[in-house]
mmCIF file of all heavy atoms in Angstrom:
data_model
loop_
_atom_site.group_PDB
_atom_site.id
_atom_site.type_symbol
_atom_site.label_atom_id
_atom_site.label_comp_id
_atom_site.label_asym_id
_atom_site.label_seq_id
_atom_site.Cartn_x
_atom_site.Cartn_y
_atom_site.Cartn_z
ATOM 1 N N ARG R 3 388.512 38.284 -8.761
ATOM 2 C CA ARG R 3 387.134 37.869 -8.622
ATOM 3 C C ARG R 3 386.808 36.750 -9.689
ATOM 4 O O ARG R 3 385.708 36.661 -10.266
ATOM 5 C CB ARG R 3 386.174 39.028 -8.710
ATOM 6 C CG ARG R 3 386.253 39.867 -7.463
ATOM 7 C CD ARG R 3 385.816 41.269 -7.602
ATOM 8 N NE ARG R 3 386.316 42.076 -8.696
ATOM 9 C CZ ARG R 3 387.528 42.576 -8.817
ATOM 10 N NH1 ARG R 3 388.414 42.277 -7.849
ATOM 11 N NH2 ARG R 3 387.900 43.226 -9.892
ATOM 12 N N GLU R 4 387.808 35.936 -9.944
ATOM 13 C CA GLU R 4 387.584 34.800 -10.867
ATOM 14 C C GLU R 4 386.563 33.811 -10.221
ATOM 15 O O GLU R 4 386.681 33.528 -8.997
ATOM 16 C CB GLU R 4 388.873 34.037 -11.096
ATOM 17 C CG GLU R 4 389.957 34.850 -11.853
ATOM 18 C CD GLU R 4 389.510 35.115 -13.304
ATOM 19 O OE1 GLU R 4 388.816 34.177 -13.926
ATOM 20 O OE2 GLU R 4 389.909 36.123 -13.844
ATOM 21 N N PRO R 5 385.647 33.254 -10.957
ATOM 22 C CA PRO R 5 384.538 32.359 -10.473
ATOM 23 C C PRO R 5 385.127 30.941 -10.254
ATOM 24 O O PRO R 5 384.645 30.024 -10.868
ATOM 25 C CB PRO R 5 383.507 32.467 -11.506
ATOM 26 C CG PRO R 5 384.232 32.652 -12.806
ATOM 27 C CD PRO R 5 385.353 33.622 -12.384
ATOM 28 N N LEU R 6 386.033 30.738 -9.397
ATOM 29 C CA LEU R 6 386.686 29.467 -9.154
ATOM 30 C C LEU R 6 386.179 28.647 -8.010
ATOM 31 O O LEU R 6 386.564 27.494 -7.839
ATOM 32 C CB LEU R 6 388.206 29.750 -8.851
ATOM 33 C CG LEU R 6 388.944 30.469 -9.981
ATOM 34 C CD1 LEU R 6 390.386 30.814 -9.567
ATOM 35 C CD2 LEU R 6 388.954 29.608 -11.235
ATOM 36 N N ILE R 7 385.236 29.199 -7.213
ATOM 37 C CA ILE R 7 384.657 28.429 -6.110
ATOM 38 C C ILE R 7 383.466 27.730 -6.696
ATOM 39 O O ILE R 7 382.293 28.198 -6.590
ATOM 40 C CB ILE R 7 384.338 29.300 -4.879
ATOM 41 C CG1 ILE R 7 385.503 30.082 -4.447
ATOM 42 C CG2 ILE R 7 383.766 28.467 -3.756
ATOM 43 C CD1 ILE R 7 385.238 31.125 -3.379
ATOM 44 N N ILE R 8 383.682 26.620 -7.350
ATOM 45 C CA ILE R 8 382.587 25.878 -8.042
ATOM 46 C C ILE R 8 381.832 25.035 -7.061
ATOM 47 O O ILE R 8 382.233 24.693 -5.971
ATOM 48 C CB ILE R 8 383.193 25.018 -9.227
ATOM 49 C CG1 ILE R 8 384.143 24.046 -8.736
ATOM 50 C CG2 ILE R 8 383.818 25.942 -10.319
ATOM 51 C CD1 ILE R 8 384.704 23.141 -9.765
ATOM 52 N N ASP R 9 380.581 24.676 -7.498
ATOM 53 C CA ASP R 9 379.655 24.027 -6.619
ATOM 54 C C ASP R 9 380.237 22.701 -6.050
ATOM 55 O O ASP R 9 380.013 22.349 -4.828
ATOM 56 C CB ASP R 9 378.350 23.729 -7.319
ATOM 57 C CG ASP R 9 377.498 24.891 -7.498
ATOM 58 O OD1 ASP R 9 377.717 25.955 -6.848
ATOM 59 O OD2 ASP R 9 376.663 24.893 -8.448
ATOM 60 N N SER R 10 381.050 21.952 -6.803
ATOM 61 C CA SER R 10 381.565 20.710 -6.339
ATOM 62 C C SER R 10 382.537 20.810 -5.179
ATOM 63 O O SER R 10 382.777 19.849 -4.447
ATOM 64 C CB SER R 10 382.263 19.889 -7.494
ATOM 65 O OG SER R 10 383.375 20.674 -7.933
ATOM 66 N N ILE R 11 383.032 22.026 -4.940
ATOM 67 C CA ILE R 11 384.052 22.251 -3.897
ATOM 68 C C ILE R 11 383.536 23.246 -2.772
ATOM 69 O O ILE R 11 384.124 23.256 -1.686
ATOM 70 C CB ILE R 11 385.408 22.774 -4.510
ATOM 71 C CG1 ILE R 11 386.533 22.595 -3.530
ATOM 72 C CG2 ILE R 11 385.275 24.182 -4.954
ATOM 73 C CD1 ILE R 11 387.089 21.177 -3.438
ATOM 74 N N LYS R 12 382.476 23.897 -3.054
ATOM 75 C CA LYS R 12 382.049 24.976 -2.197
ATOM 76 C C LYS R 12 381.830 24.556 -0.733
ATOM 77 O O LYS R 12 382.373 25.204 0.188
ATOM 78 C CB LYS R 12 380.743 25.605 -2.854
ATOM 79 C CG LYS R 12 380.377 26.912 -2.227
ATOM 80 C CD LYS R 12 379.096 27.518 -2.901
ATOM 81 C CE LYS R 12 379.480 27.843 -4.276
ATOM 82 N NZ LYS R 12 378.355 28.499 -4.965
ATOM 83 N N THR R 13 381.000 23.544 -0.471
ATOM 84 C CA THR R 13 380.650 23.169 0.838
ATOM 85 C C THR R 13 381.916 22.730 1.613
ATOM 86 O O THR R 13 382.133 23.070 2.759
ATOM 87 C CB THR R 13 379.623 22.050 0.892
ATOM 88 O OG1 THR R 13 378.438 22.528 0.245
ATOM 89 C CG2 THR R 13 379.275 21.608 2.290
ATOM 90 N N GLU R 14 382.735 21.940 0.926
ATOM 91 C CA GLU R 14 383.962 21.445 1.531
ATOM 92 C C GLU R 14 384.926 22.668 1.873
ATOM 93 O O GLU R 14 385.594 22.628 2.961
ATOM 94 C CB GLU R 14 384.630 20.420 0.623
ATOM 95 C CG GLU R 14 385.694 19.588 1.296
ATOM 96 C CD GLU R 14 386.247 18.479 0.387
ATOM 97 O OE1 GLU R 14 385.798 18.349 -0.700
ATOM 98 O OE2 GLU R 14 387.159 17.741 0.875
ATOM 99 N N LEU R 15 385.029 23.619 0.935
ATOM 100 C CA LEU R 15 385.834 24.774 1.224
ATOM 101 C C LEU R 15 385.366 25.552 2.442
ATOM 102 O O LEU R 15 386.119 25.942 3.351
ATOM 103 C CB LEU R 15 385.866 25.745 -0.021
ATOM 104 C CG LEU R 15 386.564 27.079 0.250
ATOM 105 C CD1 LEU R 15 388.018 26.887 0.596
ATOM 106 C CD2 LEU R 15 386.469 27.961 -1.041
ATOM 107 N N PHE R 16 384.066 25.779 2.509
ATOM 108 C CA PHE R 16 383.462 26.515 3.629
ATOM 109 C C PHE R 16 383.768 25.794 4.961
ATOM 110 O O PHE R 16 384.104 26.363 5.938
ATOM 111 C CB PHE R 16 381.929 26.685 3.473
ATOM 112 C CG PHE R 16 381.590 27.549 2.256
ATOM 113 C CD1 PHE R 16 380.304 27.593 1.785
ATOM 114 C CD2 PHE R 16 382.520 28.354 1.587
ATOM 115 C CE1 PHE R 16 379.921 28.368 0.734
ATOM 116 C CE2 PHE R 16 382.205 29.202 0.489
ATOM 117 C CZ PHE R 16 380.856 29.138 0.144
ATOM 118 N N ASP R 17 383.620 24.433 4.869
ATOM 119 C CA ASP R 17 383.902 23.613 6.121
ATOM 120 C C ASP R 17 385.448 23.729 6.432
ATOM 121 O O ASP R 17 385.743 23.825 7.640
ATOM 122 C CB ASP R 17 383.520 22.220 5.880
ATOM 123 C CG ASP R 17 382.046 21.879 5.831
ATOM 124 O OD1 ASP R 17 381.242 22.907 6.270
ATOM 125 O OD2 ASP R 17 381.653 20.865 5.383
ATOM 126 N N TYR R 18 386.242 23.733 5.482
ATOM 127 C CA TYR R 18 387.702 23.868 5.723
ATOM 128 C C TYR R 18 387.995 25.248 6.353
ATOM 129 O O TYR R 18 388.807 25.261 7.365
ATOM 130 C CB TYR R 18 388.433 23.675 4.448
ATOM 131 C CG TYR R 18 389.978 23.638 4.571
ATOM 132 C CD1 TYR R 18 390.592 22.467 4.830
ATOM 133 C CD2 TYR R 18 390.712 24.821 4.555
ATOM 134 C CE1 TYR R 18 391.976 22.385 5.059
ATOM 135 C CE2 TYR R 18 392.112 24.766 4.790
ATOM 136 C CZ TYR R 18 392.713 23.514 4.983
ATOM 137 O OH TYR R 18 394.080 23.489 5.222
ATOM 138 N N LEU R 19 387.418 26.314 5.797
ATOM 139 C CA LEU R 19 387.667 27.583 6.382
ATOM 140 C C LEU R 19 387.216 27.729 7.834
ATOM 141 O O LEU R 19 387.873 28.274 8.766
ATOM 142 C CB LEU R 19 387.051 28.720 5.546
ATOM 143 C CG LEU R 19 387.592 28.930 4.175
ATOM 144 C CD1 LEU R 19 386.681 29.807 3.334
ATOM 145 C CD2 LEU R 19 388.998 29.673 4.291
ATOM 146 N N GLY R 20 386.009 27.072 8.143
ATOM 147 C CA GLY R 20 385.557 27.050 9.457
ATOM 148 C C GLY R 20 386.512 26.277 10.405
ATOM 149 O O GLY R 20 386.699 26.595 11.516
ATOM 150 N N GLY R 21 387.033 25.195 9.881
ATOM 151 C CA GLY R 21 388.012 24.364 10.633
ATOM 152 C C GLY R 21 389.235 25.160 11.009
ATOM 153 O O GLY R 21 389.811 24.999 12.047
ATOM 154 N N VAL R 22 389.722 25.954 10.066
ATOM 155 C CA VAL R 22 390.919 26.806 10.384
ATOM 156 C C VAL R 22 390.649 27.774 11.442
ATOM 157 O O VAL R 22 391.369 27.994 12.433
ATOM 158 C CB VAL R 22 391.394 27.563 9.092
ATOM 159 C CG1 VAL R 22 392.502 28.522 9.434
ATOM 160 C CG2 VAL R 22 391.921 26.539 8.014
ATOM 161 N N CYS R 23 389.432 28.370 11.394
ATOM 162 C CA CYS R 23 388.993 29.298 12.511
ATOM 163 C C CYS R 23 389.010 28.587 13.874
ATOM 164 O O CYS R 23 389.546 29.037 14.839
ATOM 165 C CB CYS R 23 387.594 29.847 12.183
ATOM 166 S SG CYS R 23 387.550 31.114 10.934
ATOM 167 N N LYS R 24 388.376 27.359 13.827
ATOM 168 C CA LYS R 24 388.311 26.591 15.033
ATOM 169 C C LYS R 24 389.720 26.303 15.623
ATOM 170 O O LYS R 24 390.052 26.432 16.775
ATOM 171 C CB LYS R 24 387.617 25.265 14.849
ATOM 172 C CG LYS R 24 386.151 25.374 14.794
ATOM 173 C CD LYS R 24 385.521 24.015 14.619
ATOM 174 C CE LYS R 24 384.027 24.116 14.358
ATOM 175 N NZ LYS R 24 383.417 22.815 13.995
ATOM 176 N N GLU R 25 390.694 25.895 14.718
ATOM 177 C CA GLU R 25 392.052 25.566 15.136
ATOM 178 C C GLU R 25 392.731 26.787 15.795
ATOM 179 O O GLU R 25 393.581 26.683 16.604
ATOM 180 C CB GLU R 25 392.912 25.121 13.984
ATOM 181 C CG GLU R 25 392.573 23.704 13.563
ATOM 182 C CD GLU R 25 393.402 23.363 12.325
ATOM 183 O OE1 GLU R 25 394.516 23.994 12.030
ATOM 184 O OE2 GLU R 25 393.028 22.424 11.632
ATOM 185 N N LEU R 26 392.235 27.988 15.401
ATOM 186 C CA LEU R 26 392.843 29.241 15.872
ATOM 187 C C LEU R 26 391.970 29.808 17.041
ATOM 188 O O LEU R 26 392.082 30.976 17.407
ATOM 189 C CB LEU R 26 392.960 30.272 14.758
ATOM 190 C CG LEU R 26 393.894 29.791 13.643
ATOM 191 C CD1 LEU R 26 393.877 30.710 12.449
ATOM 192 C CD2 LEU R 26 395.353 29.585 14.181
ATOM 193 N N GLU R 27 391.090 28.934 17.590
ATOM 194 C CA GLU R 27 390.224 29.316 18.690
ATOM 195 C C GLU R 27 389.312 30.533 18.430
ATOM 196 O O GLU R 27 388.986 31.266 19.321
ATOM 197 C CB GLU R 27 391.040 29.526 19.969
ATOM 198 C CG GLU R 27 391.846 28.342 20.369
ATOM 199 C CD GLU R 27 392.723 28.614 21.641
ATOM 200 O OE1 GLU R 27 392.246 29.398 22.551
ATOM 201 O OE2 GLU R 27 393.805 28.064 21.697
ATOM 202 N N SER R 28 388.937 30.648 17.160
ATOM 203 C CA SER R 28 388.034 31.702 16.768
ATOM 204 C C SER R 28 386.791 31.022 16.199
ATOM 205 O O SER R 28 386.793 30.525 15.077
ATOM 206 C CB SER R 28 388.673 32.541 15.644
ATOM 207 O OG SER R 28 389.694 33.278 16.197
ATOM 208 N N GLN R 29 385.782 30.807 17.111
ATOM 209 C CA GLN R 29 384.637 30.035 16.816
ATOM 210 C C GLN R 29 383.879 30.539 15.613
ATOM 211 O O GLN R 29 383.298 31.686 15.650
ATOM 212 C CB GLN R 29 383.686 29.984 18.051
ATOM 213 C CG GLN R 29 382.607 29.047 17.944
ATOM 214 C CD GLN R 29 383.036 27.580 17.808
ATOM 215 O OE1 GLN R 29 383.997 27.142 18.311
ATOM 216 N NE2 GLN R 29 382.273 26.886 16.940
ATOM 217 N N PRO R 30 383.760 29.679 14.520
ATOM 218 C CA PRO R 30 382.973 30.121 13.367
ATOM 219 C C PRO R 30 381.483 30.002 13.696
ATOM 220 O O PRO R 30 381.045 29.100 14.291
ATOM 221 C CB PRO R 30 383.406 29.072 12.293
ATOM 222 C CG PRO R 30 383.783 27.889 13.094
ATOM 223 C CD PRO R 30 384.420 28.402 14.342
ATOM 224 N N ILE R 31 380.739 30.959 13.177
ATOM 225 C CA ILE R 31 379.324 30.977 13.284
ATOM 226 C C ILE R 31 378.732 30.449 11.973
ATOM 227 O O ILE R 31 377.811 29.674 11.941
ATOM 228 C CB ILE R 31 378.761 32.379 13.736
ATOM 229 C CG1 ILE R 31 379.290 32.637 15.155
ATOM 230 C CG2 ILE R 31 377.243 32.371 13.729
ATOM 231 C CD1 ILE R 31 379.236 34.061 15.513
ATOM 232 N N ILE R 32 379.232 31.027 10.885
ATOM 233 C CA ILE R 32 378.816 30.617 9.575
ATOM 234 C C ILE R 32 379.834 31.030 8.526
ATOM 235 O O ILE R 32 380.529 32.055 8.726
ATOM 236 C CB ILE R 32 377.414 31.201 9.156
ATOM 237 C CG1 ILE R 32 376.909 30.576 7.873
ATOM 238 C CG2 ILE R 32 377.483 32.696 9.104
ATOM 239 C CD1 ILE R 32 375.472 30.956 7.530
ATOM 240 N N VAL R 33 380.005 30.192 7.513
ATOM 241 C CA VAL R 33 380.924 30.518 6.398
ATOM 242 C C VAL R 33 380.106 30.237 5.179
ATOM 243 O O VAL R 33 379.369 29.247 5.010
ATOM 244 C CB VAL R 33 382.151 29.484 6.363
ATOM 245 C CG1 VAL R 33 383.056 29.853 5.252
ATOM 246 C CG2 VAL R 33 382.877 29.660 7.734
ATOM 247 N N GLY R 34 380.125 31.145 4.226
ATOM 248 C CA GLY R 34 379.330 31.052 3.017
ATOM 249 C C GLY R 34 379.948 31.907 2.000
ATOM 250 O O GLY R 34 381.058 32.486 2.112
ATOM 251 N N GLY R 35 379.230 31.993 0.819
ATOM 252 C CA GLY R 35 379.716 32.777 -0.283
ATOM 253 C C GLY R 35 379.165 32.307 -1.539
ATOM 254 O O GLY R 35 378.326 31.474 -1.650
#
């Protein structure tokens, strides 16, 4: 639980995770944290 998801990368990371879901035909509804 290291606090490594810093603000400068957060939105891009969430978008990336959603993109992986899409590539795997698993439609993302929301990614956050």
